Amino acid sequence: MAWTWRFETAEGGESTPAVVPEEFTTQGDAESWIGEYWKELLEGGTERVKLSDDGGTELYTMSLREALNA
């Protein structure tokens, strides 16, 4: 199974990530990666990320701006 992130602007449009993601074979790997690079992604214009599995099922959406303010 593969896990992918969708990168979005504040308006919900797709954004180009400031850091190119690798291919993730586990949900934990995908989440560890976002935990490492979320600040760089936010600085590069990504406001929200969505994690999906290879079946297209969206697991959750996370606001990087809210994470910064937490």
Side-chain angles (χ1 to χ4, degrees):
M1 182 172 281
W3 302 88
T4 57
W5 289 106
R6 175 182 162 88
F7 305 93
E8 296 184 344
T9 63
E11 296 78 29
E14 194 164 358
S15 68
T16 302
V19 180
V20 178
E22 56 194 69
E23 189 170 304
F24 307 108
T25 56
T26 69
Q27 182 177 350
D29 288 345
E31 291 170 340
S32 292
W33 183 86
I34 205 75
E36 186 173 339
Y37 293 106
W38 70 271
K39 287 182 182 177
E40 291 173 56
L41 293 166
L42 182 60
E43 290 171 1
T46 296
E47 291 283 329
R48 287 190 307 241
V49 293
K50 294 182 178 182
L51 182 62
S52 300
D53 65 18
D54 60 357
T57 301
E58 185 180 302
L59 300 170
Y60 60 84
T61 300
M62 180 174 66
S63 168
L64 300 181
R65 180 79 46 206
E66 288 178 15
L68 179 66
N69 297 328

